[in-house]
Amino acid sequence: MFTGSYVALVTPMFENGDIDYKSLEKLVKFHVEQGTHGIVSVGTTGESATLNFNDHVKVLEKTISYIDNKIVAIAGTGANSTSEALELTHQSKALGADACLLVTPYYNKPTQNGLYQHYLKIANEVNIPQILYNVPGRTSVDMHPDTVLKLCEHDNIIGIKEASGDVDRSIELLDKCSEKISIFSGDDKTAMRDILQGFRGNISVTANICPREMHDVCRLASAGSKDEAEIINKKIEILHDDLFIESNPIPVKWALNKMNLIDKGIRLPLTWLDEKYQKILGKSLISAGIITKNDL
């Protein structure tokens, strides 16, 4: 089940910060039609850090309902509090999620043993497939491959999203863990490379705006068709950089707004894309064939 192209879906909002469920349903339909294998709802790209608990659970509930078993539904249930992550994971199982994605606890900077105990507790208490998520550039904590190796002995821990982008880390994870769990890229810029090496897929920010292309890159790279995958990836590779021109998900929400898929909404402390970057990202979107000049 857990292979291919997954989108780290944004959470659509109105300008006042309220959640726009009509646009959320439209985004889910868009991804089903475009071939996305699965949706990660309320992960970090979905502004999990700025949604309160009730909003978090309601967005998960609505997303799972809109997906309606057409593609895989993965719930973002990570938190820097183990008790909160545990409760969100319980809730997601009850709502019918296919799996959960749990980011490493941010800011606290737990030790490797703390990370191990955090994930082990959740895996022991909630019987649902769980995917670890390591993104040290955002959380200030790096989960080492040896810690992942210990965790992947647990039947409920079935994968990891590795977003360091480091080739040596990718190779080490593949060598130590690939026979036990599925390894996903969480870094669009290096996803094709990692899938060609043996990663099972990509959990993507870029897929928010070009899901068909990301689906095809993952499919071709998984089949070992490097040249064909490179042709498609080259068309959109500028987006892998420019969608991070400000903190994610600021740029991707601006792009989706220009595609008329969501309203102009984001929650503080995140703000709308600065005007000095809008021309740069707009040019990249046009170059990739996502929008036209008339959309700006």
Side-chain angles (χ1 to χ4, degrees):
M1 180 185 292
F2 302 105
T3 60
S5 177
Y6 293 77
V7 61
L9 194 69
V10 304
T11 300
M13 299 171 184
F14 298 107
E15 286 196 65
N16 66 358
D18 289 347
I19 297 164
D20 180 359
Y21 290 103
K22 185 176 180 180
S23 291
L24 178 61
E25 185 175 15
K26 182 165 63 173
L27 287 181
V28 170
K29 183 178 179 181
F30 174 58
H31 284 284
V32 171
E33 292 172 346
Q34 291 294 309
T36 299
H37 291 106
I39 287 173
V40 174
S41 175
V42 202
T44 49
T45 300
E47 294 176 73
S48 56
T50 62
L51 268 61
N52 64 38
F53 188 88
N54 290 336
D55 280 346
H56 194 132
V57 173
K58 187 174 180 181
V59 173
L60 290 176
E61 180 182 17
K62 291 290 189 181
T63 305
I64 293 166
S65 173
Y66 298 149
I67 289 172
D68 192 26
N69 295 312
K70 295 181 178 71
I71 57 177
V72 176
I74 300 177
T77 61
N80 62 349
S81 160
T82 302
S83 60
E84 182 178 351
L86 181 61
E87 179 59 25
L88 285 169
T89 306
H90 273 299
Q91 292 279 352
S92 297
K93 177 178 170 59
L95 292 170
D98 294 306
C100 293
L101 177 73
L102 295 106
V103 68
T104 51
Y106 43 89
Y107 185 78
N108 298 333
K109 299 183 77 171
T111 64
Q112 294 303 303
N113 183 51
L115 290 171
Y116 175 73
Q117 296 295 337
H118 169 82
Y119 284 111
L120 186 65
K121 182 176 179 65
I122 298 166
N124 281 338
E125 296 194 22
V126 191
N127 185 23
I128 188 173
Q130 295 167 34
I131 302 170
L132 315 173
Y133 179 16
N134 188 45
V135 56
R138 292 293 291 259
T139 62
S140 294
V141 60
D142 184 14
M143 184 160 50
H144 299 166
D146 285 340
T147 303
V148 178
L149 181 60
K150 287 171 60 181
L151 287 166
C152 68
E153 295 295 334
H154 199 292
D155 288 344
N156 284 336
I157 295 175
I158 56 87
I160 181 171
K161 175 184 177 183
E162 174 59 44
S164 67
D166 180 76
V167 65
D168 292 333
R169 170 60 59 84
S170 297
I171 293 169
E172 186 176 0
L173 276 173
L174 284 167
D175 287 345
K176 291 182 175 179
C177 305
S178 61
E179 292 185 2
K180 296 178 180 293
I181 59 172
S182 297
I183 305 174
F184 297 91
S185 172
D187 178 62
D188 286 310
K189 190 171 182 178
T190 59
M192 186 188 72
R193 177 203 73 194
D194 285 340
I195 296 171
L196 286 164
Q197 289 179 333
F199 278 33
R200 298 295 297 276
N202 185 30
I203 299 175
S204 170
V205 173
T206 305
N208 276 281
I209 62 173
C210 50
R212 174 59 63 182
E213 288 83 353
M214 290 305 300
H215 167 277
D216 289 343
V217 168
C218 289
R219 174 179 58 83
L220 291 165
S222 294
S225 301
K226 180 181 179 181
D227 292 344
E228 294 175 75
E230 281 183 337
I231 290 170
I232 299 171
N233 195 56
K234 188 172 181 60
K235 176 186 174 185
I236 60 172
E237 64 182 350
I238 192 170
L239 299 175
H240 302 333
D241 287 318
D242 287 354
L243 287 174
F244 295 89
I245 201 166
E246 282 195 318
S247 296
N248 181 49
I250 292 171
V252 72
K253 277 198 149 185
W254 184 87
L256 285 166
N257 176 255
K258 294 305 171 184
M259 295 168 68
N260 292 315
L261 287 172
I262 65 170
D263 203 359
K264 183 181 177 181
I266 199 163
R267 284 194 181 181
L268 288 170
L270 298 176
T271 53
W272 203 239
L273 185 67
D274 193 292
E275 286 187 9
K276 67 183 177 183
Y277 296 123
Q278 292 180 12
K279 185 175 181 179
I280 297 170
L281 183 53
K283 184 178 178 181
S284 298
L285 292 168
I286 293 167
S287 174
I290 306 300
I291 63 172
T292 68
K293 290 182 179 179
N294 294 332
D295 295 316
L296 294 176

